[in-house]
Amino acid sequence: MVPPETKDSSSPLKFHAVSRFEGKPSELDERREKVSREMAGFFLGPMPVQEFLDRFLPRKPGLGTQSRDPKHFSTVPINRTETAMYDPFIKCLQGLIPGFKVINTGSHSDQNSDPQRKIKPDPTMYKKSVDTSSGKTQFDKAELNIEFKREKSWEPFVDERNPNSKDPHPFESKTKQGRHTRAQLTDYMAEVFSRQHRIFGFSVFICGDMARFLRWDRAGVIVTAQFNYHESSKELVDFFWRFSHLDESQRGHDPNVRPANTAEIKLGKEKLSKWQPERKRRVVVFTVPGEDKMPREFIAWRSFAAPYSVTGRCTRAYPVYEKATDKCYFLKDLWRAHDLEPEANILRELAKKNVQHVPRFLCGGDIDGQRTESDVYASGAKTLAPWAIGDDWSRITQRIHHRFVVDFIGKPLSALENSKQLVQVVFDAYTGCRQAYEICGFVHRDISGRNILIDENGRGVLNDWDLAKHKDKLGESRRHERTGTWQFMSCLLLGRQHVVHTIQDDMESFVHVMLYFGLRYLQHNSTVDAPSLLKQIFDEQVINKEGRAVGGTQKKFLFTAWRKCLGMNFKFLSTPFQRWFEWAVRAANQWIDHCELLAEVEVGATQGAEPQLQFSDHSSMAQVFVECLNSQDWPTDEPRPIDAAPEFDGGSTRTSKRPYASEDIDDDSIGGSRKQSRTSNAIGSRGGGSNSQRAEEQLTSRGSNSQQTNAQLMSTMDGSRGGSNSKGSTRTSEHSMTTRSRTRSNHGG
């Protein structure tokens, strides 16, 4: 399985360096603010310094202390420029870090970083064996970053408690400089995590004559109290002395990933040559337990995903080669939320039940002993972390390292050859989604263009089941986010962040995938340039009063009045695809109208018959797919699809969770008392109550009525082929299958 070869988006933190940023000041501020907002609630502190040292940097038996002048670091100037602090600080580290060295990297970016991430960190710590003569900044080999600020106004945290504060995260400074410093610290660690295989990592923050230590993992960040290292250098001396005596795993490196030897490097580059990375990357070897529990080794070179975030799933995906079988496979590496079913288990179950059009599972699962620790302190704040300032740790959730291999390497959906193949591939993925739900009870919850792949036979495979949940567990989550990829999420999920994700949301996401790839790659007569059109419809978002992104209004407008949105004479040049499109927007609009109506009607107030809903189950859309594929009027001379928006980075990013992305949207609701909109209490698995029960019966019903209604719709759509039926088709397209007024009437509204 291979995601499209575009910038990964499992990560929200895609921005240039916060300092020495190559761009307009306004762009810098915007990017800093976004990262600060996305990381809000992930910092836990102030942990007492000695507790931090004893817990996370254990002293080896027999390791003595390093005796130094109590004011050893007082020679670091604090009344000059920030850069003037670097070299004196580095000089003070001599003799404190045996086996390591610290390099002034403040004026040097990593030449092997992605072009949009040419960041220049402050002094960086490496092993002494690292050759920095040709490149001082090497994030793939960095052991520790030391960030400096001279002025106290740049302090990112507030150690003093304010009993009158209503701020849910009072430990995090709300000043502009403080927010931007947190964004900068995050950016550097995100690059380290992206380029290395880390379980956790450390950084040091120096602000004038004060210092802090930070420990980062995929759940959050634990921050110490600040201390005056000029007045007493003991804590700083002890940190570096302990750190330099930790082993690889104690410094946060994954022991199940090692550098390839010379022979493995040669073999890996030969067997994986078709996936050669664009920039220099190390060849590594993953050890993954086989189904017989015996270790299997896979050589990897290029990752198709570079998760530029610290917290969240942070998915990475690699084509890999196994010498023992002389075959290439695909390896997926992520940090799953503890309350989500392991993806490996889901794929095993799908394989056991012979679900079609899903990746073929090979081996792997959760990695023993690799769980986050920030969440332990967040969940036990009153007992384990009485020092923690704040009372809302809902964003910090336990994550478990999960790694597995599948026997499938596909092509991205963007490699489609024509409009019929797009329909076929998406229908195959839809079939996989349907079978997984009807046979195994799983809801995928992340239908997107990135997760639908093309196999070696030109057919579709539905990938990425890491957010899937069993239908009986959809309402159990207590975490605060939504699930999915922003550009393809349903209107209801985007507009109401507390709505439970149901199978109908997945069905609507398939509509968005078809429209997105149709508008971007297929021939049509829209006069609006593709990037503007895609951004307007699929990337639309606003920030609500709670600081959360909401959207979906442009998608809803497209469903309600697609001719006004795309143009009165808009049409795809592929006639069968156009018919599918016209049916899909009406069916989606019918479902959304129904849900919004139920949200407005008081429980028990509905009267009359429920409208026949095309999204009641999978059957109606499946029938339309089949009829579309069986059409006899597919174009025979259709030009090969061309990307009409090659510079547009939307549509491939999970979350993206938004155009600028946030931590992966893989949660459902706010911790504590789970708030849901009235819609969630009205529709099927979205809630309960008498109104819900009637809706549940209607939405799960199947039978001849549904097929008859669907056939009638397809019949009117067939009029769009031309001839005497064209007027009827126009009337149908301008009149929704079930208008809002008609639906209100049926509900006695």
Side-chain angles (χ1 to χ4, degrees):
M1 53 182 179
V2 177
E5 298 182 26
T6 56
K7 303 182 185 76
D8 171 50
S9 11
S10 56
S11 155
L13 304 172
K14 293 185 174 179
F15 66 106
H16 292 273
V18 177
S19 63
R20 295 170 287 281
F21 173 74
E22 298 176 3
K24 299 178 181 178
S26 59
E27 294 174 344
L28 169 60
D29 286 349
E30 179 183 359
R31 293 174 186 272
R32 284 171 168 170
E33 292 296 333
K34 287 185 181 297
V35 173
S36 174
R37 183 168 60 245
E38 297 302 337
M39 284 297 292
F42 285 107
F43 295 92
L44 189 70
M47 189 180 203
V49 177
Q50 194 60 48
E51 181 179 345
F52 182 95
L53 293 172
D54 293 340
R55 177 64 188 87
F56 301 122
L57 291 90
R59 188 188 300 276
K60 284 187 176 181
L63 178 65
T65 59
Q66 183 58 246
S67 77
R68 297 278 171 161
D69 186 300
K71 295 187 178 183
H72 179 69
F73 282 93
S74 62
T75 57
V76 177
I78 59 174
N79 296 320
R80 297 164 59 188
T81 64
E82 175 189 313
T83 55
M85 302 172 70
Y86 299 168
D87 289 336
F89 191 93
I90 294 173
K91 185 177 180 180
C92 288
L93 291 173
Q94 293 178 1
L96 283 179
I97 51 174
F100 295 86
K101 61 183 178 182
V102 175
I103 302 295
N104 183 350
T105 52
S107 300
H108 305 273
S109 61
D110 188 335
Q111 298 307 306
N112 291 312
S113 291
D114 289 340
Q116 75 273 22
R117 295 186 60 83
K118 294 300 183 182
I119 54 181
K120 303 171 184 177
D122 293 348
T124 303
M125 186 174 180
Y126 302 100
K127 287 183 178 180
K128 274 190 176 179
S129 58
V130 175
D131 181 7
T132 55
S133 60
S134 60
K136 291 189 175 182
T137 301
Q138 301 178 38
F139 280 105
D140 61 335
K141 298 175 182 176
E143 294 289 344
L144 183 74
N145 174 247
I146 310 167
E147 176 60 26
F148 287 83
K149 295 295 180 188
R150 183 180 67 85
E151 299 178 2
K152 300 295 178 66
S153 59
W154 290 90
E155 170 59 53
F157 305 106
V158 180
D159 286 6
E160 295 76 24
R161 294 180 183 271
N162 180 358
N164 299 319
S165 174
K166 296 182 180 179
D167 184 350
H169 311 122
F171 179 57
E172 300 167 13
S173 171
K174 300 305 183 292
T175 67
K176 180 178 180 179
Q177 293 96 323
R179 295 194 304 270
H180 291 188
T181 300
R182 284 197 304 279
Q184 188 173 3
L185 289 165
T186 300
D187 193 35
Y188 294 150
M189 188 54 65
E191 185 72 14
V192 170
F193 277 25
S194 162
R195 299 281 297 282
Q196 301 182 25
H197 296 277
R198 287 262 180 184
I199 305 168
F200 56 87
F202 295 97
S203 58
V204 176
F205 177 64
I206 306 295
C207 187
D209 58 1
M210 306 297 284
R212 295 181 188 272
F213 306 133
L214 298 89
R215 182 191 181 275
W216 309 71
D217 63 27
R218 297 303 192 181
V221 192
I222 295 180
V223 186
T224 70
Q226 63 178 351
F227 59 93
N228 191 315
Y229 70 93
H230 259 225
E231 291 297 321
S232 174
S233 301
K234 176 182 178 297
E235 292 89 349
L236 205 54
V237 169
D238 199 18
F239 174 89
F240 282 102
W241 181 247
R242 291 184 184 217
F243 185 88
S244 63
H245 288 85
L246 298 176
D247 60 31
E248 294 272 329
S249 61
Q250 289 174 323
R251 297 199 305 275
H253 296 280
D254 186 346
N256 298 300
V257 186
R258 62 173 176 82
N261 59 39
T262 303
E264 291 166 336
I265 291 173
K266 181 180 179 180
L267 187 61
K269 289 185 175 182
E270 174 190 340
K271 298 295 184 178
L272 302 171
S273 59
K274 67 170 66 176
W275 301 290
Q276 181 175 346
E278 297 176 0
R279 280 162 289 280
K280 184 179 179 181
R281 292 292 182 265
R282 290 195 289 177
V283 179
V284 298
V285 178
F286 289 91
T287 299
V288 181
E291 289 296 88
D292 58 0
K293 306 303 180 183
M294 297 299 292
R296 301 177 66 168
E297 289 194 332
F298 299 90
I299 302 173
W301 189 13
R302 175 187 180 178
S303 170
F304 281 106
Y308 293 129
S309 64
V310 176
T311 59
R313 288 171 302 189
C314 303
T315 303
R316 289 193 274 200
Y318 298 83
V320 294
Y321 171 75
E322 185 182 35
K323 183 179 179 180
T325 57
D326 191 27
K327 285 189 63 176
C328 290
Y329 302 101
F330 208 81
L331 181 147
K332 183 174 179 180
D333 181 282
L334 69 149
W335 288 80
R336 70 173 182 87
H338 70 96
D339 57 350
L340 291 178
E341 184 76 11
E343 186 172 2
N345 292 0
I346 294 174
L347 292 177
R348 284 191 186 96
E349 179 69 12
L350 298 182
K352 181 180 178 181
K353 298 297 178 61
N354 296 314
V355 172
Q356 298 175 302
H357 305 295
V358 299
R360 297 178 292 275
F361 179 77
L362 188 67
C363 64
D366 289 346
I367 302 175
D368 291 341
Q370 295 192 10
R371 297 177 178 236
T372 54
E373 290 197 48
S374 299
D375 55 280
V376 175
Y377 289 89
S379 61
K382 292 183 179 180
T383 55
L384 294 177
W387 37 262
I389 296 178
D391 55 11
D392 180 8
W393 313 114
S394 59
R395 301 197 72 185
I396 301 179
T397 187
Q398 184 185 59
R399 293 190 175 271
I400 302 167
H401 203 178
H402 191 66
R403 182 180 292 144
F404 64 91
V405 181
V406 295
D407 186 8
F408 167 69
I409 300 180
K411 296 184 294 185
L413 188 55
S414 57
L416 60 99
E417 296 181 356
N418 51 54
S419 57
K420 186 173 184 179
Q421 188 187 37
L422 174 59
V423 175
Q424 181 67 69
V425 168
V426 175
F427 177 47
D428 288 340
Y430 182 83
T431 300
C433 178
R434 178 183 185 179
Q435 291 181 359
Y437 180 74
E438 295 179 349
I439 299 174
C440 303
F442 287 117
V443 180
H444 187 278
R445 304 201 312 156
D446 189 19
I447 303 300
S448 72
R450 189 184 73 168
N451 292 340
I452 299 175
L453 305 177
I454 304 174
D455 68 13
E456 64 275 11
N457 299 315
R459 300 295 293 269
V461 174
L462 182 57
N463 189 32
D464 280 356
W465 291 81
D466 53 318
L467 292 184
K469 272 193 173 184
H470 195 275
K471 60 184 179 182
D472 295 336
K473 298 181 179 180
L474 290 176
E476 290 184 0
S477 178
R478 290 296 184 270
R479 298 184 349 270
H480 73 284
E481 304 244 39
R482 292 154 287 192
T483 57
T485 300
W486 187 270
Q487 289 86 358
F488 305 104
M489 287 169 65
S490 73
C491 297
L492 292 175
L493 288 177
L494 291 178
R496 299 178 176 89
Q497 70 184 59
H498 306 310
V499 172
V500 175
H501 193 133
T502 69
I503 195 63
Q504 282 76 22
D505 295 302
D506 278 2
M507 293 170 66
E508 183 185 328
S509 291
F510 278 106
V511 176
H512 294 309
V513 169
M514 288 281 281
L515 298 187
Y516 179 93
F517 279 81
L519 292 170
R520 182 164 181 171
Y521 292 96
L522 301 185
Q523 297 287 314
H524 55 77
N525 63 358
S526 173
T527 58
V528 181
D529 69 283
S532 298
L533 191 62
L534 295 171
K535 185 176 181 63
Q536 174 185 339
I537 297 172
F538 297 99
D539 276 358
E540 173 244 348
Q541 69 161 288
V542 295
I543 305 300
N544 65 15
K545 62 182 180 181
E546 297 175 349
R548 308 300 300 167
V550 295
T553 57
Q554 289 299 318
K555 289 179 178 178
K556 170 62 177 172
F557 178 58
L558 173 65
F559 291 155
T560 305
W562 63 267
R563 292 188 184 278
K564 291 182 180 180
C565 181
L566 302 176
M568 294 303 295
N569 298 315
F570 174 85
K571 65 179 296 186
F572 289 99
L573 300 190
S574 173
T575 303
F577 191 91
Q578 176 70 19
R579 288 197 298 273
W580 189 98
F581 160 71
E582 292 186 20
W583 177 89
V585 294
R586 289 194 293 269
N589 188 57
Q590 180 199 43
W591 172 258
I592 296 169
D593 276 354
H594 174 68
C595 294
E596 290 180 339
L597 178 62
L598 288 184
E600 297 171 4
V601 176
E602 294 295 331
V603 175
T606 58
Q607 299 177 6
E610 294 277 5
Q612 184 58 53
L613 301 171
Q614 301 303 309
F615 276 17
S616 293
D617 57 34
H618 290 88
S619 59
S620 293
M621 188 182 294
Q623 181 183 346
V624 176
F625 267 118
V626 171
E627 294 183 11
C628 181
L629 289 168
N630 290 337
S631 298
Q632 301 300 310
D633 54 344
W634 285 100
T636 58
D637 56 350
E638 183 178 9
R640 189 176 181 85
I642 298 176
D643 188 354
E647 302 303 318
F648 183 63
D649 190 31
S652 66
T653 58
R654 179 187 277 178
T655 121
S656 229
K657 314 184 219 174
R658 265 150 276 201
Y660 296 97
S662 78
E663 127 70 349
D664 288 352
I665 299 185
D666 61 354
D667 306 312
D668 294 331
S669 54
I670 289 184
S673 60
R674 193 165 58 86
K675 302 177 182 178
Q676 294 185 4
S677 68
R678 283 182 293 170
T679 305
S680 69
N681 289 325
I683 308 161
S685 57
R686 295 182 189 270
S690 59
N691 209 22
S692 170
Q693 293 169 3
R694 297 184 66 237
E696 175 72 21
E697 294 173 1
Q698 173 65 27
L699 299 185
T700 57
S701 67
R702 305 184 187 187
S704 58
N705 289 339
S706 174
Q707 296 176 359
Q708 180 180 1
T709 303
N710 195 54
Q712 293 171 348
L713 286 169
M714 289 299 294
S715 175
T716 57
M717 286 165 54
D718 286 341
S720 65
R721 300 185 188 191
S724 60
N725 290 333
S726 60
K727 292 182 180 180
S729 174
T730 302
R731 286 195 300 270
T732 302
S733 66
E734 292 175 350
H735 182 72
S736 174
M737 295 180 296
T738 305
T739 63
R740 185 181 297 272
S741 60
R742 175 183 168 189
T743 306
R744 289 183 183 277
S745 175
N746 286 335
H747 283 274

